[in-house]
Amino acid sequence: MRDLVRSEARKAVAGRTWLIMLGVGVLLGLMTTAGYTTTVEQEVAAGLAPAAATASMVRFWFGMMLASMLFGAVFVTREYGTGAIARSVLVSGGRGRLFTAKVLVGSIAGVGYGVLAAGLAVGSAWLFLPLAGQQLTWSTEATLTLVGVTAVVALAGPWGVVFGWLLRNQVLAVATLLVLTLLVDEALLRLVPAVGRFTMQIAMGAVYRDAKPEMLSPTMGLLVILGWIALVGAVALRRLRRSDVLS
């Protein structure tokens, strides 16, 4: 299995996909944090505590989870697009082994994205808050937010992988993940909060401490995330084992 994981890791960094996704995530984070500098002064003047402003600056880097998630999906589906998945199954020694190896590599990549997001979150708070005339005020809330951001970005990696295994088509997988993340989950929270708070994106928001009264606790949110990954992964693995690899 170790050699198989190494082989899949080499595939993961082959080409420009991981760089493109990384660039998108960094650009998104920089745009949101830089944009926050235009409003943070007014918010502090209106009563927002400096420590809360620092935590908010850190929180904006949750957007890196889009890069982690989409990388995971593309990592699987691009082999379906080229037909190389059939050869990968043969060389790996079994469908289950290949499935596991890709999930592991996606998880490692997710951790990498998460660590980078954490570093950039701290760096952006240190850079942009003083530029906005505000003091960097670190707190327990900022630390918990940073841990939450790192966690959701890391878990977005295997989430993208299992989703890629489930849908197999790259365009369909990417489009579905984006629609669910950016539209459906938020809409469900607004329309049916009792249901919406159990969706993946809203559960992630609970972990990185997005302040919405309808949300779950961070611990429950983490359990929901793991539950979704396990459920979709189980369905995807069942499909992989019972249907034609290329279908």
Side-chain angles (χ1 to χ4, degrees), residues 27 45 61 75 84-85 120 122 127-128 144 178 193 205 208 212 217-218:
L27 180 61
W61 280 93
F75 174 48
I85 193 67
L120 291 173
V122 175
L127 174 65
F128 288 121
L144 292 174
L178 288 175
Y208 60 75
K212 290 186 176 70
S217 68

Side-chain angles (χ1 to χ4, degrees), residues 10-45:
R10 286 193 292 270
K11 290 181 186 178
V13 296
R16 300 179 181 177
T17 300
W18 70 277
L19 280 174
I20 293 172
M21 296 302 177
L22 185 63
V24 169
V26 171
L27 180 61
L28 181 61
L30 289 175
M31 288 175 60
T32 53
T33 49
Y36 185 57
T37 62
T38 64
T39 62
V40 64
E41 186 176 359
Q42 292 85 349
E43 291 184 6
V44 171

Side-chain angles (χ1 to χ4, degrees), residues 9 12-13 18 21-22 61-73 75 101-119 146-162 204 229:
V13 296
W18 70 277
M21 296 302 177
L22 185 63
W61 280 93
F62 81 89
M64 184 70 83
M65 64 94 177
L66 283 173
S68 179
M69 175 179 66
L70 294 180
F71 170 79
F75 174 48
K102 285 191 179 291
V103 171
L104 287 174
V105 172
S107 299
I108 294 169
V111 170
Y113 279 108
V115 171
L116 178 62
L146 184 66
V147 171
V149 168
T150 307
V152 298
V153 174
L155 290 171
W159 171 239
V161 170
V162 297
M204 286 183 168
I229 294 173

